Amino acid sequence: MFNAPPKSVVDIAGNYDIKKLKDLFSVIGSPDKTLDFLRTMLTSFEDIVSEWFDQEFLKAPLARLASELGAPPSQKNLAIGAIMMAMRHNPGMARPRGGTGALTKALLNLVQSSGGVVLTEQAVEKVLVDDGRAAGVRVKGGTEYRATRGVISNIDAKRLFLHLIDASDADAADPDLRERLERRIVNNNDSLLKIDLALSEPLRFPHHNHQDKYLIGSVLIADSVRQIEVAHSDPILGKIPDSDPSMYVVMPTALDPSMAPEGKHTLWIEFFAPYEIAGAEGTGLNGTGWTDELKNKVADRCIDKLAEYAPNIKNAIIARRVESPAELSARLGSFKGNHYHIDMTLEQMIFLRPLPELANYKTPIEGLFLTGAGTHPGGSISGMPGRNCARVFLHAQQPIAQTRSGCAEVSQINGRICLPNCLGCRQSLFLSFLWVTGHWVGGSACPARDSASYTFM
């Protein structure tokens, strides 16, 4: 289901073989199983973990992982987070050697080897529409790039239709779309503060039977389900949940030493925080209330908390960089700090993402396609939004010739790619027409500050 356009029955059915059908019917085979599955999808993740587990040391980190979708574990219909966790085991997760940037480089080489042109530092200011059809883009400075086959956008639908397309063009295509995007799409103010550290030595967990293999995966600081609840409900209200921080920690060099000088390490911390701080609206960076002093104060508290588990961290820090939600949002081009473009809750997933009329990657404007984290199946490094969009794009060019193997032909199309020097945007745009993996919208290693990105051919 994830690996197909969500409104295409043919494509969805094509993903199922006998084994997958058996797996499906093992979950929803009988009427009672189907109803139980529906009940599970409508309940909260907190209810699910309480149904299956008793110990807090298990429930808390599971709740933390489920809440990565951007909502507290008590929120109803967040059970989809359980599915996301299952996918960490099957089909599993992997990291490219050299970091996510190495994947970007590989994709760049592939595009260039097929005759593609990549433009960076080209902030798109407007999508050009001629006679109801997407005709290209205009970048900052006035240069226009014209498209012959179409425009593929991987920014969120709100910014695309409310900020980068003339209202008259959008209204001519669908007079209700702009208001539906403005009023119906939910972003709950839950964003990220990111801390990058250079370390002289790896983390050590002396109170928890330390083993180096623990550092290969992710480290979750999650003491209780209640702590996770506060960590995600406070940001919705504009509060910073830093009195007892919960966080997600990764030390990439534990698995890939090539990412730091010999004997040294890198580490990043993901801490959920509000994009806009209550009572400080209109102040700070971009009117969000965030300042350098505040972000560093919050970072200090996060490191203090981590030191309760890994006491050596403070003496191991060589350098650090802290990005507030406002800064990270500006660098990634995420609308109001939402790195998934829109919340990944059930009412905004599958054929409802971002809206039913946009869910199959086409838009009401002919020749304009939408991909990225705000489309099915959502954010993370999967490549699926781009691959799915590529299939729809190809079908639009040759409706009769749509096949599964057709996706491989996209890389042979001689065209031009226009996108900013942004890791997350770059990857998903490549994937808009290359059948490979690697769609990312998170906050770990994006070097640019551009606000919009497009593919046009």
Side-chain angles (χ1 to χ4, degrees):
M1 180 118 191
F2 291 142
N3 203 22
K7 294 167 70 176
S8 174
V9 176
V10 173
D11 284 323
I12 293 172
N15 284 330
Y16 284 89
D17 54 22
I18 297 299
K19 182 181 182 302
K20 290 178 180 177
L21 286 172
K22 287 181 178 179
D23 291 341
L24 177 64
F25 281 106
S26 72
V27 177
I28 59 172
S30 68
D32 286 343
K33 280 188 175 182
T34 300
L35 292 173
D36 200 49
F37 177 75
L38 290 174
R39 179 259 180 195
T40 297
M41 294 303 294
L42 295 174
T43 192
S44 71
F45 191 80
E46 182 179 8
D47 293 338
I48 293 176
V49 293
S50 295
E51 179 181 349
W52 288 93
F53 303 104
D54 295 320
Q55 300 299 318
E56 199 74 9
F57 80 93
L58 274 174
K59 294 162 64 174
L62 291 175
R64 178 65 176 80
L65 285 172
S67 295
E68 285 286 311
L69 300 185
S74 66
Q75 180 169 312
K76 299 300 182 181
N77 79 24
L78 190 61
I80 194 168
I83 296 176
M84 298 300 183
M85 284 194 298
M87 293 177 66
R88 290 172 177 253
H89 297 278
N90 184 13
M93 300 177 68
R95 299 179 194 166
R97 186 178 300 278
T100 315
L103 177 58
T104 303
K105 180 61 176 176
L107 295 172
L108 174 63
N109 291 341
L110 183 57
V111 169
Q112 291 177 332
S113 70
S114 297
V117 177
V118 177
L119 306 177
T120 63
E121 305 296 338
Q122 300 282 328
V124 174
E125 292 185 330
K126 185 178 181 180
V127 176
L128 304 174
V129 179
D130 292 343
D131 298 324
R133 180 177 179 83
V137 298
R138 180 186 303 147
V139 300
K140 188 175 182 179
T143 301
E144 293 185 359
Y145 297 96
R146 290 281 167 169
T148 58
R149 303 183 188 225
V151 175
I152 302 174
S153 166
N154 100 322
I155 67 169
D156 62 274
K158 267 194 171 184
R159 285 193 301 148
L160 175 61
F161 284 97
L162 301 183
H163 299 165
L164 298 180
I165 294 176
D166 284 345
S168 59
D169 290 325
D171 291 344
D174 183 341
D176 299 323
L177 180 60
R178 285 168 50 84
E179 184 173 5
R180 281 170 57 78
L181 286 167
E182 184 67 55
R183 294 181 176 274
R184 191 164 184 178
I185 287 182
V186 176
N187 284 312
N188 65 14
N189 200 42
D190 199 358
S191 188
L192 291 174
L193 179 140
K194 182 169 178 285
I195 307 167
D196 289 291
L197 300 177
L199 303 178
S200 61
E201 63 182 28
L203 297 182
R204 302 290 180 194
F205 300 96
H207 308 304
H208 299 275
N209 187 28
H210 175 85
Q211 297 182 46
D212 288 343
K213 65 181 182 180
Y214 295 163
L215 299 173
I216 291 177
S218 305
V219 177
L220 300 174
I221 304 301
D223 297 338
S224 67
V225 175
R226 184 186 182 282
Q227 181 198 36
I228 307 306
E229 182 71 22
V230 172
H232 290 275
S233 57
D234 272 9
I236 295 174
L237 301 175
K239 301 177 182 178
I240 303 173
D242 60 347
S243 59
D244 184 23
S246 170
M247 67 197 86
Y248 189 98
V249 181
V250 176
M251 195 174 80
T253 43
L255 182 64
D256 184 3
S258 71
M259 295 178 64
E262 185 176 357
K264 303 299 189 292
H265 291 272
T266 62
L267 178 142
W268 56 263
I269 299 171
E270 175 189 279
F271 172 75
F272 279 91
Y275 176 72
E276 295 177 330
I277 300 171
E281 297 88 344
T283 67
L285 184 61
N286 297 333
T288 61
W290 283 99
T291 63
D292 286 344
E293 180 182 4
L294 178 58
K295 74 177 184 182
N296 282 295
K297 183 179 179 181
V298 174
D300 289 341
R301 291 178 178 173
C302 290
I303 292 172
D304 287 343
K305 179 66 178 183
L306 183 56
E308 294 178 13
Y309 291 87
N312 69 321
I313 185 173
K314 290 188 176 182
N315 291 331
I317 296 175
I318 299 172
R320 83 175 190 181
R321 181 183 67 171
V322 182
E323 290 182 283
S324 68
E327 292 167 310
L328 195 61
S329 176
R331 181 160 67 87
L332 298 180
S334 54
F335 185 67
K336 291 193 173 181
N338 194 321
H339 49 290
Y340 289 134
H341 291 188
I342 64 174
D343 291 350
M344 289 182 62
T345 46
L346 186 60
E347 80 280 1
Q348 295 187 143
M349 294 296 287
I350 315 175
F351 38 73
L352 303 174
R353 188 171 188 85
L355 291 174
E357 58 265 43
L358 301 175
N360 232 42
Y361 311 100
K362 286 185 176 181
T363 75
I365 295 177
E366 185 179 355
L368 178 61
F369 299 81
L370 185 65
T371 186
T375 60
H376 175 72
S380 101
I381 304 181
S382 72
M384 288 185 280
R387 180 182 183 275
N388 294 344
C389 182
R391 295 171 72 172
V392 172
F393 178 86
L394 284 174
H395 182 260
Q397 310 305 309
Q398 297 176 312
I400 299 178
Q402 185 189 28
T403 63
R404 288 179 62 82
S405 61
C407 291
E409 300 172 4
V410 186
S411 62
Q412 302 303 316
I413 295 175
N414 290 323
R416 184 188 300 269
I417 308 160
C418 174
L419 67 161
N421 186 22
C422 170
L423 184 59
C425 297
R426 182 184 295 172
Q427 289 178 191
S428 60
L429 277 169
F430 284 145
L431 295 174
S432 296
F433 52 92
L434 296 179
W435 190 8
V436 288
T437 59
H439 171 73
W440 179 80
V441 291
S444 61
C446 179
R449 275 191 171 273
D450 300 286
S451 60
S453 55
Y454 289 85
T455 301
F456 54 96
M457 295 185 285

